[in-house]
Amino acid sequence: MAEDMLVYVGTRTVAESEGIYVHRMDGDTGALEPVTEFTGIDNPTYLTLHPQDNYLYAINEVTDFGEGEAGGVTAFALDPETGALSLINQQSSEGPGPCYISVHQTGRFALVANYAGGSVCMLPIEEDGSLAPASDFVQHTGSSVNPQRQAGPHAHSIQPDPTNRYAFAADLGLDKLLAYKLDLDTGKLKPNDEPWAELAPGAGPRHFAFHPNGDYVYVITELANTIVAFSYDEERGALDEIQTVSALPEGFEETSYCADIHILSSGKFLYGSNRGHDSIVIFSIDEETGELTYVDHESTQGETPRNFCIDPSGTFLLAANQDTDNIVSFHIDQDTGRLTPTGHQANVSMPVCLKVLPPTR
């Protein structure tokens, strides 16, 4: 019998949602049961867990958090038994409209991407899990070819590499994956010697995932609806493009925008979400070359799957359908990568981000 897991749901608080919702997922069936919630927090749309699994961090996707035109970041302590969250403190994200947060594997720093402001920042994490004011802030500059979406920078995600020596930021407005050296002594983001990898004009990079073997990086593009595979040199923190594939079915001509991307812990399969086609696309990964081969599309049984997650065991995929207020669980076939609906759903208003707390270690 598999152990149950806690699922944290970040939401947009512009309709009926009031904050972060916590569900318990049955480790055998994928069934979701609500257990608790934390209310009274504005737009906690993206979440991340501390490596020790005892703290949770949420961005506040606003432009008027505290003083000045900036969003916020909130730190919580979590109870791994009940799932309950306790507020620790809040800090400014230093730029408007934060949309993404990750935590360095040392647990010492959080990295935040500000979409509206086109910037990234680095915040120290204290021993009690609280956030200190940003130790560094980097304003991106430039533009790309789409006048409606790329007139300026729009940092959409930032996360450290598997070596924890570099951090990469996907900027939708610049069509670049920017590379930074991480200085953990001073808490600074220093431009890498090879400062970025460039994507096709108008691609609009959004999220990215490192392969478990550390040799490849996969970027999903919001505007071009593609997945771009790169080889990764961990010594140089450098990327070289291998392949670009469409995330949409051949012949599909309606409006759709890619969103999220994840790789199965086995390294065999990659998944990406399509908002508009409302599906998860599945590719197999050649671990010798990094190249992708199309497997299937699976309906998310709702509209606008902004984000999704795979549980730590690699057994279930959970898709958050923002515009139909439902989270749907799927069983993952370990041999083929294909998804089968479990028949279980949870209702949450405007779910955006899902994070699964591993069973107690």
Side-chain angles (χ1 to χ4, degrees):
M1 177 179 290
E3 292 187 72
D4 292 352
M5 289 166 273
L6 292 168
V7 182
Y8 290 84
V9 185
T11 68
R12 290 192 179 280
T13 55
V14 295
E16 296 179 6
S17 170
E18 296 180 350
I20 298 171
Y21 294 82
V22 189
H23 286 66
R24 192 175 300 278
M25 183 173 73
D26 187 299
D28 291 312
T29 67
L32 295 162
E33 177 187 2
V35 291
T36 188
E37 59 194 51
F38 188 96
T39 61
I41 179 173
D42 290 335
N43 276 356
T45 54
Y46 202 87
L47 314 174
T48 195
L49 291 163
H50 190 278
Q52 295 178 3
D53 299 329
N54 52 353
Y55 304 112
L56 180 138
Y57 300 93
I59 57 96
N60 302 106
E61 193 172 339
V62 297
T63 58
D64 56 354
F65 184 88
E67 297 180 3
E69 188 175 344
V73 190
T74 303
F76 298 91
L78 65 84
D79 184 324
E81 296 298 325
T82 67
L85 296 173
S86 303
L87 177 67
I88 301 176
N89 76 329
Q90 295 180 305
Q91 293 289 352
S92 170
S93 71
E94 301 297 326
C99 64
Y100 193 98
I101 183 169
S102 61
V103 173
H104 192 267
Q105 281 303 306
T106 62
R108 293 172 53 197
F109 293 95
L111 303 170
V112 176
N114 295 302
Y115 179 83
S119 60
V120 296
C121 73
M122 190 169 179
L123 297 93
I125 297 175
E126 307 291 0
E127 290 187 5
D128 64 356
S130 63
L131 292 163
S135 56
D136 202 10
F137 170 85
V138 180
Q139 177 63 58
H140 293 174
T141 59
S143 61
S144 194
V145 298
N146 185 322
Q148 284 76 41
R149 300 293 308 278
Q150 297 179 310
H154 292 295
H156 219 310
S157 61
I158 183 170
Q159 58 176 307
D161 80 332
T163 73
N164 292 307
R165 295 164 51 206
Y166 299 95
F168 289 86
D171 196 302
L172 180 147
L174 306 183
D175 287 324
K176 291 177 179 177
L177 199 64
L178 293 96
Y180 295 99
K181 294 178 181 177
L182 287 168
D183 187 330
L184 301 186
D185 293 328
T186 61
K188 299 297 182 183
L189 294 160
K190 299 181 177 180
N192 192 26
D193 297 336
E194 299 180 50
W196 60 69
E198 199 149 3
L199 286 87
R206 181 182 172 95
H207 287 183
F208 57 97
F210 286 90
H211 192 276
N213 67 17
D215 292 338
Y216 310 110
V217 178
Y218 300 88
V219 183
I220 196 162
T221 69
E222 178 170 335
L223 304 182
N225 294 295
T226 58
I227 296 171
V228 186
F230 292 89
S231 63
Y232 183 55
D233 184 329
E234 64 179 26
E235 291 301 317
R236 295 160 40 223
L239 300 162
D240 291 298
E241 186 174 340
I242 299 171
Q243 178 193 29
T244 298
V245 296
S246 176
L248 293 170
E250 186 175 352
F252 182 82
E253 296 181 354
E254 298 175 37
T255 300
S256 192
Y257 300 101
C258 285
D260 203 12
I261 185 169
H262 294 284
I263 296 172
L264 199 63
S265 55
S266 67
K268 294 181 178 180
F269 301 102
L270 177 149
Y271 301 84
S273 60
N274 294 303
R275 298 170 295 168
H277 186 250
D278 296 330
S279 66
I280 302 293
V281 63
I282 308 162
F283 291 94
S284 64
I285 301 174
D286 186 322
E287 294 193 61
E288 296 298 320
T289 66
E291 292 189 352
L292 302 174
T293 299
Y294 173 74
V295 174
D296 200 7
H297 281 87
E298 181 69 35
S299 168
T300 59
Q301 301 191 9
E303 297 177 6
T304 318
R306 189 176 180 89
N307 286 87
F308 66 97
C309 72
I310 297 172
D311 84 89
S313 72
T315 304
F316 298 103
L317 182 148
L318 304 177
N321 293 300
Q322 177 183 282
D323 291 347
T324 45
D325 303 331
N326 64 324
I327 300 166
V328 181
S329 72
F330 299 84
H331 185 269
I332 301 172
D333 187 305
Q334 302 299 307
D335 295 321
T336 67
R338 286 186 164 86
L339 303 175
T340 302
T342 64
H344 299 291
Q345 298 190 21
N347 296 318
V348 177
S349 176
M350 300 196 78
V352 172
C353 181
L354 306 173
K355 293 295 179 183
V356 180
L357 184 71
T360 304
R361 295 174 181 175

